[in-house]
Amino acid sequence: MAEQQDDPKKLEEFQERIDNGETIEPKDWMPSRYRSQLIRMMSQHAHSEVVGMLPEGNWITRAPSLRRKLILLSKVQDEAGHGLYLYSATETLGASREEVLQQLLEGKAKYSSIFNYPTLSWADVMVIGWLVDGAAIINQTMLARSSYGPYSRAMVRICKEESFHKKQGYEMVATMAQGTPEQQEMVQDAVNRWWWPTMMMFGPHDDDSPNSAELIKWGVKSKTNDELRQSFVDRHVEEAKAVGIEIPDPELEFNEETGHYEFGEIDWDEFWNVVKGNGPMNRERMKAKQEAHENGKWVREAAEEYARKKRLQKEKAS
Amino acid sequence: MSNNEDSNDTQWPLWEVFTQPRDGKPHEHAGSLHAPDAEMALQNARDVYARRNEGVSIWVVPSNQITASTPEDMGPFFDPANDKPYRHPKFYSVPRAVKKRS
């Protein structure tokens, strides 16, 4: 969407509405950049939910018990639902579903870099639930208060389901952390591999994040990347301690004065490399999405044909 | 927006979904979805918006069938509500003794 200059007076009125804590609805006037930023952010979010089904979907057939299999199935189904809520919300801004999806399939749109890491063992599924969904909740709870109505309403719905995802993950981690030495090693290994990529989920440092200030000014976000990352660390380090898991960060230390955990520096080279499409699983994920779209074509065609037949039957009967 | 421009729409029609949380409650807007016909829209709405007992009833409505007020009209359109304070019970005064009992 082309970005035009906005009327300064309207811009001022818009800012006033935001500062008063008002919610912006689809038909309201909004700055063109507010619209384009939201389309970017929300579609990226939708893609992340949909691509996020892949690393876990891998393990449905290999779940260790029927209970775990049922849980994982409904979790993966939830992710599909989250994608749909968000695609619908993005459409209210005038971005068509087809267009937005096409951008993903052509590799033009981004999704969360976390899903470009492989799931090597069942313990990875547990740790994704605990850490990745734990990080997502922190981000999404904030977005549930976002200034754009359809986004915040989709987030409220998503947060309710996301806390189930996190809890089932943490329950599994806790169970395995008390298991045999082998099981303990397996879960620790998964935490070692996922900790840092999860820390990266909150995005670059505030100084390097070009969009943050603008999004905060417009009430889309209410906390910065670094603030969100800090609350993730504070919460999850305590949870790790409670079940005897070690966090793979030698610099991790509790600061009595601030009441927060201090942590080591993220490997930003790795972060940018994965964002740019060179992570361990970027190509596989994209290929899987493209194939799913292509191989699902017959389902869409069948649905259309079914609707057509129904309509004909109805016409005949009347 | 694209809602009303069917000629440009190469995808399935857009439907707005309303769910009734409980008996006796009004239907509330839950979101939207694309589907080739009403029956499939209803089934998809069940799968997408009512997986956790969110509703006892669902409505699906073609989005382009909804006529809505516009934000620009907001002031004048709803204005008549404000200049008729006598429509509200608070407008009327009641003797003190009577007031206490209620």
Side-chain angles (χ1 to χ4, degrees), chain B residues 53-75:
Chain B
N53 274 328
E54 283 93 339
V56 293
S57 158
I58 302 177
W59 291 347
V60 290
V61 183
S63 299
N64 60 12
Q65 293 297 307
I66 293 180
T67 309
S69 62
T70 64
E72 296 91 69
D73 292 343
M74 200 151 75

Side-chain angles (χ1 to χ4, degrees), chain A residues 247-311:
Chain A
I247 299 297
D249 179 358
E251 289 171 58
L252 195 70
E253 207 179 336
F254 188 71
N255 183 329
E256 294 282 350
E257 254 170 62
T258 60
H260 293 295
Y261 280 93
E262 282 167 7
F263 48 91
E265 190 60 35
I266 288 168
D267 181 349
W268 293 111
D269 290 339
E270 179 185 324
F271 171 78
W272 291 115
N273 200 32
V274 178
V275 168
K276 281 179 189 138
N278 303 315
M281 296 296 282
N282 290 54
R283 278 166 204 90
E284 272 96 334
R285 297 292 185 239
M286 281 313 301
K287 201 168 154 248
K289 276 320 297 172
Q290 286 154 354
E291 281 174 5
H293 193 71
E294 194 50 40
N295 297 338
K297 204 172 167 189
W298 71 270
V299 180
R300 297 191 290 277
E301 285 170 357
E304 262 170 55
E305 184 55 21
Y306 179 72
R308 196 183 66 89
K309 276 194 179 162
K310 279 261 168 186
R311 202 164 47 236

